[in-house]
Amino acid sequence: MLSRVLLSLSLVPALALAVCQPDGQDAYKVRLSIKTALGANAYEWNESEQFLFRATLAFAMRKYTGQETFNVSSVIVCNETQRVSFWFVVTNPNDTATLIPKNAVEEAIRLSRNRINSAFLLSDKTLQFLGIPPTLAPPSQPSLPVWLIVFGVVMGIVTTGILALIISGFIQRKKKDIEDEDEEEKQERIMENGILCETLEGKEGVNNGAYSHDEDRLTQL
Amino acid sequence: MAEEKNTEVSVPELGKTAEERPKWDNKVQYLLTCIGFAVGLGNVWRFPYLCQTYGGGAFLIPYIIALIFEGIPLLHMELAIGQRLRQGSIGVWNSISPFLGGVGIGSLIVSFLVGLFYNTILAWVLWYFFHSFQDPLPWRDCPLNQNKTGYIEECAKSTPVNYFWYRETLNVTPNITDNGDLQWWMVICLASAWGIVYICFIRGIETIGKAVYVTATFPYLVLTIFLIRALTLPGATEGLVYLFTPKVQVLKDPKVWLDAATQIFFSLSLAFGGLIAFSSYNPQKNNCERDAVIVGVINSATSIYASIPIFAILGFKATSNYNDCLDGNILSITNAFNIGDQNVTRENYDSWLKHLNTTHSQELEDLHLKHCNLQEFLDQSASGTGLAFIVFTEAVIKMPGSQVWAVLFFVMLFSLGLSSMFGNLEGILTPLLDLHVVPKWLPKEAFTGLICLISFLFALIFTMGSGNYWLEIFNNYVGSLPLLIIAFFEIISVVYIYGIGRFSDDIEWMTGRRPNLYWQATWRVISPGMLLVVFLAYIVVQVQQPATYAAWNPNYINFPMTEALDYPGWVFAICILLSSVPCIFIPIVALYRFIQWIMRRVHQSQNRNPCENHAYEPELQ
């Protein structure tokens, strides 16, 4: 009796190892980059951390399926490397020989991804489940695009500036017109030689055809 | 003795009953305006690229030689002739000889066309400025696609920075014949750019003179801030070493000398008519010789000064990219060989690689590791809009406090471009005012507004989907060859038609000193000679290059590389038209005047009454 119990007990881990196969149909590879994420505060990856991992995964399965039968022993880990990376499978708590299918495991992990990450102080990038893409955070879209606000401010300033300059120019011109009118009224009309000086003012003198050279006003080529 | 000189050139009447010619409030305004006009976007995004391409410190040699023998003499000539004849470009050349009126008209047209596309670049700068207030910056991440499972394909294949520029800003079409629609966001940015330009330009130099106190000085402040920040960034020294390491053997390539000469010429904004317009508002007794030297030297010094922070930041960006590349490779190795996390670092990466190559060479090959080379990343520099909107924006994301740097950078670009726009617009306004085409009842504000409105409407071409391609065309064909031709005619007219002797007398009258041997030699022979050589070499180079443009086509096989497409026939015809229309006015006007002269001679020889004295015309006629 005792020998049979001993035999079956020794077979269990062997069975477990046989169930967890790298590249297996229902197995997932996990990769952790603790030093990259935490730098100086990085913790050592040991058996206890492994235990925590299996426990969180069991928690995820419980949450997803609603069955509270999943246990740490349901999660089997193998092929651990120095990287730190390993493969794991989840066995059915009712029948330890069968495995939970890949999709179910994926959905469970997706559901509790945040909790799993926080348990290890890691992120989607540093705790990778190969085959499960990280969820992309949609960029926040404010109600009114920021650039339109800046544009509105700039255009507002420019428009008020233009209006101010136009109006001030207009007022200046009106003032000058009034001043000019006053000046004109005061001026007497000057006469010289029977011809009003004003009529001559506009001309640069008059070209007397008899007394000018042809090309005086043009530079000789 | 000089005061009573009898000039045969018609100086416009002073003391009209309307306003006198406007003038600068003080000398500082005038100098700042000229410096602002000369110092533009090209100083920041063209010169550093040339410097780096043509052997770093060695490029300064042809650059300074071109400045001394081509740039400053032409600059002095333009400032002096404008100051002496007190008219805008059309009036000045008309005064020297009516046969040369076409030179002024050419300047006017070039100023107008360049103003169109230059302000569109400012509209793009404004767009980026508006978006720099967001956290995170919108060109940092790719947007998610429709069903939120991943990033938009076009963005994932290229980079977020490229996507933001080509898709969200320009919404560019795959080729130039596909016009696309007017992009409403670009239209409103263009409207605001023209609004800002209008508010500074509204009363001509009265308002421009006030605006340049800010627009001409602010860029220097920002460049200094960037310089201090950039020098503290990791990788800055690599960038600077890369920029300034002189490779003297590059000087044997004639293309370097050609590019130095063209860079100086275009950088000083010669032949636009703007400088002539600015100096025409000066009092006649002003030392234009000193002004020319000051403006020329400050322009070049700014170029050199600007290249330091630019290349420090580019060095930082190259180092960041190189580190990212290395980190990507390290991660691949760590994951593939299950090495402990962080055991492979950047420092021991090479030794790990060697070790793995001996033990697991096949698996290592299968990983297809990227080849990370710092030189390659440093070589990825760019010029023009590519530098500002793609390379620099990418660098800014990686700097802490990105928003501040982005805002500073784009405001600096905007003020650099704005002060250059003033010169372009004055090159349009002053000649038109001097030609008296403006009716007296139209206030100046309305006329400047009209100029801005018409330019805005024409510039809407550049807000279409294919706008970027058209802008490149304008940039390459308008802002290059016509200017060389106009400048050549300018200096020939002044030296040989107006007469170098008379010009030297004028300068002696204005400045009190006769121009010395340096000026005589450069004006008579060296500068026209250099211009001719540059012009011919430019044509030779242009003809040899295929007429293609780089199109952004997401469906291209080698996307994200740009596709090199040929210009269709009608587009190429427009290119030729753009180059030739400004220049064609020179012979057209000369011909027109010649015909007029012949007609007048014929008319005069037929009926000449020597006794007609028009001074005694009775009043009632």
Side-chain angles (χ1 to χ4, degrees), chain B residues 473-521:
Chain B
I473 287 180
F474 270 68
N475 191 15
N476 289 335
Y477 290 95
V478 173
S480 57
L481 217 55
L483 291 172
L484 289 168
I485 296 178
I486 292 174
F488 180 72
F489 274 96
E490 281 187 4
I491 193 154
I492 295 294
S493 323
V494 168
V495 170
Y496 296 109
I497 298 180
Y498 186 72
I500 188 85
R502 199 158 81 174
F503 190 53
S504 306
D505 291 339
D506 287 337
I507 293 185
E508 189 178 0
W509 178 64
M510 290 195 292
T511 67
R513 222 179 26 246
R514 203 169 175 81
N516 57 26
L517 180 64
Y518 160 68
W519 300 112
Q520 302 286 344

Side-chain angles (χ1 to χ4, degrees), chain A residues 149-216:
Chain A
I149 299 177
V150 185
F151 164 75
V153 168
V154 168
M155 276 308 260
I157 297 177
V158 166
T159 321
T160 37
I162 292 177
L163 286 174
L165 282 170
I166 290 181
I167 294 177
S168 75
F170 192 61
I171 295 179
Q172 257 182 19
R173 222 188 321 273
K174 275 236 132 126
K175 248 196 306 191
K176 234 180 73 169
D177 281 345
I178 298 176
E179 276 175 19
D180 279 347
E181 276 176 21
D182 289 341
E183 244 186 66
E184 266 184 30
E185 287 171 359
K186 295 194 204 131
Q187 259 183 13
E188 294 175 277
R189 310 196 73 181
I190 308 168
M191 274 220 170
E192 178 125 346
N193 210 2
I195 304 173
L196 290 171
C197 278
E198 285 166 8
T199 57
L200 289 178
E201 235 168 67
K203 306 182 197 162
E204 294 170 322
V206 180
N207 231 348
N208 188 339
Y211 293 101
S212 66
H213 262 296
D214 247 4
E215 271 97 57
D216 212 21

